[in-house]
Amino acid sequence: MASHTINLGILAHVDAGKTSLTERLLHTAGVIDRIGRVDHGDTQTDSLALERRRGITIKSAVVSFALGGTTVNLIDTPGHPDFIAEVERVLSVLDGAVLVVSAVEGVQAQTRVLLRALRRLGIPALIFINKTDRRGADPARVLGEITERLTPSVVDLGARPADRLVDVLSRQDDALLADYLADERSVTWPRLRAALTEQTRQALVHPVYAGSAMTGAGVDALIEGIREFLPADTGDPAAPVSGTVFKVDRGPAGEKLAYLRLFAGTVRTRDRLDFGRGRQGKVTGVSVFADGTATPADAVAAGRIGLLRGLDEIRIGDPVGQPHPRSSLSRQFAPPTLETVVLPRNPADRGALHLALSQLAEADPLINLRRDETRQEIAVSLYGEVQKEVIEATLAEEFGIAVEFRETTTICLERPAGTGTAVEVMTKDKEVNPFLATIGLRLEATPPGSGVRFGYEIELGSLPPAFLKAIEETVHETLRQGLHGWPVTDCAVTLVRSGYAPRQSHAHATFDKSMSSTAGDFRLLTPLVLMTALRQAGTTVHEPLHRFELDIPADTLAPVRAALAPLGAVPRETTAHGAAYRLTGDIPAAAVHTLQRQLPGLTRGEGVLECVFAGHRPVRGPVPERPRTDHNPLNRKEYLLWVLRRV
């Protein structure tokens, strides 16, 4: 059995050849006899029917092979921006990565996003320039793009680049530079190679290889680079269990399958595992990845990826056992900024549709569902239009539900403009306050990015824990819809006053609900108090914003600038690059698709647009409203009528 494990990610922009490289690596390692092709739909990792039809990777997939004494768990990830959430989850479990760049198309927007994330997280990465056998391939040009547009800290290992190595490595190694300047003969090739290994493993430098996944050219050298430059896992199998779940799937019988990266310890069948927020589960089955597939086993040890059964309540991102620092990595990519309503073509499928979408959201926590009980509709958040097609095909093929979509809209958010305070006091007059509860809440704005915080200034012990929990949970739930229907963020909500009616019983110890406060009283009253405070504070609606970089021919500068203005884009800098210009600036997320559609006509097909999520800005012009899906605590009369009907 292999003594070390490398959990390796294959990342790239769409069509760079990630899946083809995975097939080549598996073939070279002897795991498969024949190399599948994406265009033939017979690859190992693209198992979904839609993946095979579209020729793109949608779900991350794990395959395994041995390199000498090292087991490589290879994770093939999507390249299309609509499925960036899949990539995000994989990053937290990687020991190293291979970033694939096409020798024809060169560096793309997604390539830049991915390398930035890898460097930010300190994940060692090799770069493979693929498709050198294709017409139009120019590895030298692409290497220049990598140096200019990705990072100068790269070394082409296609030659013996001593001078280039010294130049790159000495930026992080003063002793190496001093020795080289004193006597360049003292800096031997083995010393340079050792320094390159050390700096690569620290994610400071990136070795570059070139070749073709289709022909196999350059792949042997890449495999040697994986073995030499990327670190094997050193987790202790005897330590307490520590891991993270990066993928959740369903088996043939509908059972939940959890993909666990184990950083420390050993998980065995029948073990009881803690996975946060007081939840536990018993492992009923374990599989580990070997020879290209998941194989049943008695246990999975530190460093490996295990497939666990029996953990029905577990979710993607959950820490297993003791939390590991990499389990709580902050989000590296943008949240979904689009939303659409999903409708069943057959109204009788409404219940089945909700269940099916819930399962899809369970496997992808960045797909948020918003259910409108009044209209009996479900809205789902998206990254793009391709994702909508995937949802439609998945619902049809896996659940037998035909659906249609309403027009895609942009997801905005609301931020409080000031401070508001509201109090509802328990009273005998049920027309004033029909609930056996007193609640006072103060809501105030906090810095952007701080989220929603809940606290209290009441005396500890003055309110039963169940009632306090009911208030806190309802605060977070209520703030999903602000004054204009958008989620409210960046605020602190403080409980400043409380009161309740103690438990009352009749002579025969029968609980009298009409005289005693319950958690339901606090859940139903909190929205009224909170929204009164929010109305007093006021909110501003913010729309998602993208930072753009646009390369265009010099003679198209004027028409491109003219097209940006009506889209609400704000140019920041224009620089000349030979016979071209590069424009940078900000553009509303809602306008990106329009710009992409207009750009070929404006630039004779030569314009290149890159966009990265950059936060939110106040909406300019009319404030967009989103229909409410709750029972409208902004309208006291309407809300109380619903409560009385419910009671």
Side-chain angles (χ1 to χ4, degrees):
M1 183 176 177
S3 57
H4 298 289
T5 302
I6 296 176
N7 293 292
L8 179 71
I10 306 291
L11 293 84
H13 63 83
V14 67
D15 288 336
K18 301 177 313 305
T19 302
S20 298
L21 180 58
T22 299
E23 292 286 307
R24 174 62 63 178
L25 291 172
L26 291 174
H27 182 266
T28 302
V31 172
I32 56 176
D33 297 325
R34 185 177 65 84
I35 296 176
R37 290 176 57 122
V38 173
D39 51 351
H40 291 173
D42 58 356
T43 59
Q44 293 290 302
T45 53
D46 286 344
S47 58
L48 297 179
L50 186 63
E51 290 180 313
R52 298 185 185 279
R53 283 204 308 274
R54 289 291 302 260
I56 60 173
T57 300
I58 295 169
K59 293 288 186 182
S60 58
V62 181
V63 290
S64 183
F65 61 90
L67 289 179
T70 299
T71 293
V72 178
N73 286 327
L74 192 63
I75 307 176
D76 182 22
T77 62
H80 198 287
D82 280 14
F83 310 108
I84 197 66
E86 283 287 320
V87 182
E88 175 181 63
R89 292 190 289 274
V90 167
L91 289 181
S92 66
V93 305
L94 296 182
D95 300 311
V98 175
L99 182 64
V100 185
V101 184
S102 168
V104 180
E105 290 87 3
V107 172
Q108 303 290 297
Q110 188 79 342
T111 322
R112 302 180 70 185
V113 171
L114 291 169
L115 189 64
R116 274 199 299 265
L118 289 167
R119 289 177 68 84
R120 192 182 304 122
L121 295 173
I123 297 173
L126 312 181
I127 298 175
F128 185 68
I129 301 176
N130 191 26
K131 300 187 177 182
T132 57
D133 59 318
R134 298 288 183 89
R135 177 179 298 178
D138 190 345
R141 170 183 60 81
V142 174
L143 180 64
E145 289 182 8
I146 290 170
T147 304
E148 178 186 355
R149 304 184 68 190
L150 292 181
T151 173
S153 300
V154 295
V155 177
D156 178 13
L157 290 183
R160 198 175 170 95
D163 291 342
R164 172 66 179 165
L165 264 177
V166 171
D167 178 47
V168 174
L169 298 175
S170 62
R171 297 171 193 169
Q172 308 290 339
D173 190 337
D174 293 338
L176 179 67
L177 178 61
D179 291 347
Y180 185 77
L181 293 175
D183 181 4
E184 63 182 65
R185 291 172 301 178
S186 67
V187 180
T188 62
W189 179 250
R191 179 178 175 184
L192 286 174
R193 198 82 178 188
L196 177 59
T197 299
E198 181 182 355
Q199 292 195 25
T200 300
R201 292 183 177 184
Q202 295 176 15
L204 300 173
V205 174
H206 306 285
V208 178
Y209 299 84
S212 167
M214 294 302 296
T215 67
V219 174
D220 286 342
L222 176 64
I223 289 175
E224 275 305 308
I226 292 171
R227 295 178 62 178
E228 180 178 2
F229 296 124
L230 298 183
D233 183 88
T234 57
D236 181 2
V241 168
S242 177
T244 185
V245 174
F246 67 95
K247 180 177 178 178
V248 168
D249 214 338
R250 292 277 175 177
E255 73 277 20
K256 185 176 285 189
L257 306 175
Y259 287 71
L260 171 73
R261 162 66 198 272
L262 200 55
F263 296 106
T266 301
V267 172
R268 300 174 178 83
T269 304
R270 294 185 292 279
D271 280 356
R272 290 199 68 84
L273 298 178
D274 294 312
F275 38 89
R277 300 189 296 278
R279 294 169 302 142
Q280 284 189 335
K282 182 179 180 180
V283 179
T284 60
V286 174
S287 295
V288 296
F289 290 90
D291 297 327
T293 187
T295 305
D298 294 327
V300 56
R304 304 296 295 269
I305 291 176
L307 196 57
L308 307 185
R309 291 173 172 81
L311 307 178
D312 291 337
E313 293 186 28
I314 205 161
R315 293 179 59 84
I316 290 173
D318 281 345
V320 173
Q322 295 186 357
H324 189 274
R326 290 174 66 181
S327 300
S328 57
L329 291 173
S330 60
R331 180 175 290 174
Q332 298 300 314
F333 302 109
T337 58
L338 303 174
E339 183 178 68
T340 185
V341 172
V342 189
L343 299 169
R345 294 186 184 274
N346 181 355
D349 286 337
R350 287 187 187 276
L353 175 60
H354 181 259
L355 181 62
L357 286 172
S358 297
Q359 287 195 16
L360 294 183
E362 179 183 77
D364 189 343
L366 293 187
I367 293 181
N368 300 311
L369 299 183
R370 195 171 62 92
R371 189 169 187 179
D372 186 336
E373 298 288 355
T374 304
R375 299 173 184 82
Q376 291 295 298
E377 295 176 349
I378 303 172
V380 60
S381 58
L382 302 167
Y383 280 97
E385 295 298 314
V386 174
Q387 194 179 9
K388 186 191 292 186
E389 180 187 341
V390 170
I391 291 173
E392 181 179 14
T394 303
L395 290 171
E397 294 170 6
E398 296 186 16
F399 299 94
I401 304 172
V403 299
E404 58 188 8
F405 299 91
R406 290 228 183 103
E407 182 182 359
T408 302
T409 58
T410 303
I411 301 174
C412 297
L413 57 81
E414 296 182 46
R415 289 190 172 118
T419 299
T421 303
V423 179
E424 292 274 355
V425 179
M426 183 169 53
T427 174
K428 293 181 180 180
D429 188 345
K430 297 302 182 184
E431 293 187 5
V432 176
N433 178 3
F435 309 108
L436 290 176
T438 293
I439 299 176
L441 295 173
R442 183 178 67 245
L443 182 146
E444 50 199 329
T446 55
S450 57
V452 176
R453 300 199 306 267
F454 178 81
Y456 48 88
E457 293 178 355
I458 61 172
E459 184 178 345
L460 284 176
S462 63
L463 193 66
F467 298 168
L468 189 61
K469 181 181 179 183
I471 295 172
E472 181 174 1
E473 290 178 348
T474 308
V475 161
H476 287 282
E477 183 179 337
T478 303
L479 289 179
R480 292 175 185 170
Q481 299 179 80
L483 303 182
H484 302 278
W486 304 104
V488 180
T489 188
D490 301 332
C491 63
V493 179
T494 307
L495 180 63
V496 296
R497 186 174 175 182
S498 67
Y500 71 103
R503 184 182 181 93
Q504 302 289 327
S505 300
H506 293 291
H508 299 289
T510 304
F511 173 56
D512 187 348
K513 184 178 178 181
S514 67
M515 300 172 59
S516 312
S517 296
T518 66
D521 287 305
F522 288 88
R523 290 187 186 279
L524 293 171
L525 180 58
T526 296
L528 280 178
V529 181
L530 182 59
M531 296 308 284
T532 301
L534 185 64
R535 181 187 277 123
Q536 188 182 118
T539 66
T540 55
V541 177
H542 291 66
E543 62 183 346
L545 194 67
H546 283 208
R547 182 71 38 81
F548 73 84
E549 188 172 284
L550 182 56
D551 291 334
I552 58 172
D555 62 335
T556 66
L557 179 61
V560 168
R561 276 182 167 167
L564 289 173
L567 298 177
V570 179
R572 296 191 177 277
E573 188 177 3
T574 303
T575 54
H577 289 261
Y581 278 106
R582 177 170 297 165
L583 282 71
T584 61
D586 298 325
I587 184 170
V592 170
H593 184 64
T594 302
L595 179 58
Q596 290 171 332
R597 201 170 57 243
Q598 294 177 353
L599 193 59
L602 293 169
T603 63
R604 304 185 299 276
E606 298 178 36
V608 178
L609 174 67
E610 296 181 11
C611 289
V612 179
F613 177 74
H616 291 79
R617 76 174 183 189
V619 169
R620 299 173 182 180
V623 175
E625 302 282 339
R626 182 164 74 164
R628 302 194 70 86
T629 60
D630 59 9
H631 297 281
N632 196 12
L634 285 169
N635 185 323
R636 185 182 186 89
K637 183 177 180 181
E638 178 183 320
Y639 181 79
L640 290 178
L641 281 174
W642 168 77
V643 169
L644 292 174
R645 284 198 302 269
R646 175 179 173 182
V647 173

